[in-house]
Amino acid sequence: MTYPMSKDEVFMRLRFAEKRLQELLSLNGGDLPGADASERQQLIMEFFFHLVGATEELAQVVNQIRGLSINPEDVGIQKVSKNLPPADPVQSKLKSLYANVRACPLPANPYTDEAYIYRVRNYRNQVSHRGSNPFLFRVGIGVVVSPAASLLLDPRRSDLGPSEKAAQDELQYMLKLIKNRCEEILALL
């Protein structure tokens, strides 16, 4: 038996993601490269798990509130957005929270919002389902290397290399992006 989901559950998932991110960024006094690898991996897995989970729960809430009658076992962002009328303002906003990382490559500019959505979903798959380490650490003896920690643009493709931006900044941006989009959709329901 499935139970109705509420808007509060989406907000709760976002808070879980935010909490995991805060814990991750405070590891080893904020020094990600020097943090315990297993603890760092657990927190990054949980961060992406909850971040994507919030979007999937949002799809459940949209299905319920819009009366789409899609079986909860079949609900996903794509299916819900396809079943919403094109004139529904939720349709395009919900669709913008999804990227098909199996069928499409990383967008050419990895720093657009579209690319960040792609990367969030890809990182969730790679760290949660395949145990990949999404980080590149730059360590120098007696030398300050910046940024010390970056995310690999696509853990499946080493040829793409790391992001030019600090992992901490990108992770915070990803959380803010998903949170803002979820809040915009929830306000329309």
Side-chain angles (χ1 to χ4, degrees):
M1 175 175 207
T2 57
Y3 297 94
M5 300 201 87
S6 71
K7 294 178 180 182
D8 290 338
E9 290 175 80
V10 177
F11 290 121
M12 184 173 60
R13 273 297 188 109
L14 291 167
R15 284 192 304 274
F16 289 166
E18 186 170 17
K19 182 178 180 183
R20 291 303 174 253
L21 180 57
Q22 289 169 354
E23 291 171 350
L24 174 69
L25 298 181
S26 67
L27 282 178
N28 196 37
D31 176 24
L32 278 178
D36 176 82
S38 63
E39 197 171 0
R40 183 178 57 226
Q41 188 70 9
Q42 176 187 347
L43 291 171
I44 196 70
M45 288 170 74
E46 292 177 9
F47 169 71
F48 285 120
F49 174 78
H50 290 304
L51 200 55
V52 172
T55 67
E56 296 299 327
E57 287 184 1
L58 176 62
Q60 293 283 357
V61 172
V62 172
N63 179 48
Q64 290 170 195
I65 291 176
R66 289 294 197 251
L68 301 178
S69 301
I70 302 169
N71 182 322
E73 294 295 319
D74 298 326
V75 165
I77 291 173
Q78 280 188 297
K79 190 162 200 160
V80 171
S81 62
K82 285 179 183 176
N83 281 276
L84 287 168
D88 189 327
V90 170
Q91 197 260 3
S92 63
K93 290 184 181 298
L94 185 63
K95 193 175 182 178
S96 76
L97 283 169
Y98 182 79
N100 187 341
V101 298
R102 289 184 182 157
C104 301
L106 175 68
N109 179 350
Y111 306 107
T112 64
D113 286 353
E114 174 189 7
Y116 276 115
I117 296 296
Y118 180 99
R119 290 171 61 195
V120 164
R121 297 188 81 78
N122 188 33
Y123 292 139
R124 188 279 310 257
N125 292 349
Q126 297 307 311
V127 301
S128 295
H129 301 306
R130 292 167 193 83
S132 296
N133 172 9
F135 296 106
L136 174 83
F137 299 115
R138 297 172 184 90
V139 182
I141 299 174
V143 178
V144 176
V145 183
S146 183
S150 293
L151 294 168
L152 298 170
L153 291 174
D154 187 339
R156 301 169 299 183
R157 297 207 31 217
S158 61
D159 61 305
L160 294 178
S163 173
E164 299 169 356
K165 299 181 180 190
Q168 295 90 326
D169 295 340
E170 288 198 297
L171 293 168
Q172 289 172 332
Y173 186 81
M174 290 172 188
L175 174 64
K176 181 181 173 186
L177 176 63
I178 299 286
K179 184 176 181 182
N180 287 346
R181 288 193 178 181
C182 287
E183 287 173 349
E184 287 174 9
I185 292 167
L186 290 169
L188 292 170
L189 298 176

